[in-house]
Amino acid sequence: MKSIVRDTLRILLWIYLSVSGIILLHFGRRILVADSFRIPSSSMSPTLMPGDRVMVNKLLFGPRIYTSLDFSAHAPLHSIRLPGIRDIRPGDIIVFNFPFGYDDWSRIEFRINYVYCKRVVGCPGDRIGIVDGHCWNDRVLRPIGNVGNQERLRQTPDSILMQHLSYHAIPLSMPVWSSRNMGPLTVPARGMSISLTEFNRELYRLVIRYETGAPPEELDSEEYTFTQNWYFALGDNTPDSQDSRYWGFIPESFIVGIVPGVGDE
């Protein structure tokens, strides 16, 4: 009888350890290695279509580890990023937390599991812009994104763009740029300084407020030095994509990872 009980306990322990190991491997893989996401809209078409699932590689840029598990509404993001294989490059497709997680367009806020998928046009320190619908980056010689859709944007009448609220670009409070003609602008990089001109205050307002907790006009300085790295990303379907042209820069800490092997350029 004791032998039967002992064998039964061994079997139950083996089952428990096996199931626990499978669960740990599953969540460990999702946290540290890769995770999948579904594409909800046509903003990345034809590269990615609604309903497609993409696998995000977290090892390339380095997995993000939360140092606080407080994900309640408006709670700040606390995380560290482990070393990765390489930096993000212009042309990479990334998945990231939407910068306005709670739809308050006056401040950047983190919301877990509220993610977007776009193509990076500008990395920290890059000088970028859009001319007649076509993207450019001063350190990239090749086109970035879907050239056919960028040409379609060039040919779309202003009246059509305005109907879809997709004409004016950042900074929206000073509408000097449009969704197909904007820049040049420099993507904020850690340690980079800018003069706080009237235009720069508006262009980088949300970035400065996120980094300091205060709007630019409350800073007692005519110059500002960024403390974090930021990115600028567009959808491949540029005539119909809500992206950095309208809501600005993406904090590096909001990036989940890179989607490899899809629409690589």
Side-chain angles (χ1 to χ4, degrees):
M1 183 67 179
K2 290 182 179 179
S3 175
I4 295 174
V5 172
R6 192 164 48 246
D7 290 343
T8 301
L9 290 175
R10 287 174 179 170
I11 292 171
L12 291 175
L13 178 61
W14 181 86
I15 293 173
Y16 171 78
L17 292 175
S18 297
V19 171
S20 299
I22 291 171
I23 292 173
L24 287 173
L25 285 173
H26 172 70
F27 285 102
R29 186 266 301 171
R30 291 187 61 186
I31 294 170
L32 298 174
V33 181
D35 201 359
S36 64
F37 296 87
R38 188 180 68 85
I39 302 301
S41 72
S42 62
S43 69
M44 281 297 294
S45 66
T47 310
L48 297 169
M49 302 300 293
D52 286 351
R53 294 198 73 87
V54 296
M55 186 61 70
V56 176
N57 186 320
K58 298 185 177 183
L59 294 177
L60 285 176
F61 189 51
R64 181 180 62 184
I65 306 297
Y66 297 117
T67 56
S68 170
L69 298 181
D70 180 7
F71 300 127
S72 56
H74 313 296
L77 169 64
H78 296 287
S79 68
I80 59 172
R81 191 173 298 276
L82 300 182
I85 297 171
R86 67 169 177 86
D87 292 335
I88 292 173
R89 305 164 182 160
D92 280 340
I93 294 175
I94 60 171
V95 169
F96 56 92
N97 294 92
F98 182 55
F100 300 96
Y102 293 94
D103 298 322
D104 179 356
W105 290 72
S106 68
R107 66 177 67 234
I108 294 171
E109 293 184 295
F110 175 81
R111 178 179 170 187
I112 194 170
N113 296 329
Y114 186 15
V115 297
Y116 274 33
C117 181
K118 305 290 180 184
R119 188 183 297 277
V120 174
V121 173
C123 295
D126 287 353
R127 191 166 179 264
I128 63 172
I130 303 174
V131 177
D132 290 335
H134 292 266
C135 306
W136 61 268
N137 181 312
D138 67 355
R139 68 183 182 94
V140 178
L141 298 179
R142 53 179 169 73
I144 302 175
N146 187 283
V147 175
N149 277 337
Q150 292 175 18
E151 179 62 20
R152 186 159 63 92
L153 175 61
R154 184 186 73 83
Q155 297 178 13
T156 303
D158 291 352
S159 57
I160 299 298
L161 293 176
M162 289 179 177
Q163 286 178 11
H164 295 280
L165 302 177
S166 57
Y167 180 76
H168 293 300
I170 58 167
L172 297 178
S173 59
M174 301 176 67
V176 296
W177 291 341
S178 74
S179 58
R180 61 178 168 210
N181 282 290
M182 62 181 302
L185 73 158
T186 302
V187 182
R190 185 184 297 112
M192 184 182 89
S193 298
I194 57 167
S195 298
L196 288 178
T197 63
E198 181 182 5
F199 184 74
N200 279 345
R201 288 176 190 270
E202 292 305 312
L203 179 60
Y204 298 107
R205 170 175 295 277
L206 295 175
V207 172
I208 294 172
R209 181 170 183 176
Y210 182 77
E211 291 189 352
T212 67
E217 55 268 19
E218 293 184 9
L219 301 180
D220 187 23
S221 175
E222 295 302 314
E223 184 178 87
Y224 180 74
T225 301
F226 297 105
T227 62
Q228 300 182 36
N229 287 327
W230 298 75
Y231 294 80
F232 194 94
L234 305 183
D236 280 3
N237 185 13
T238 46
D240 188 18
S241 170
Q242 287 297 318
D243 48 44
S244 287
R245 290 172 294 174
Y246 312 108
W247 37 255
F249 304 98
I250 304 162
E252 186 171 85
S253 58
F254 279 35
I255 294 175
V256 177
I258 300 171
V259 181
V262 178
D264 287 348
E265 300 177 332

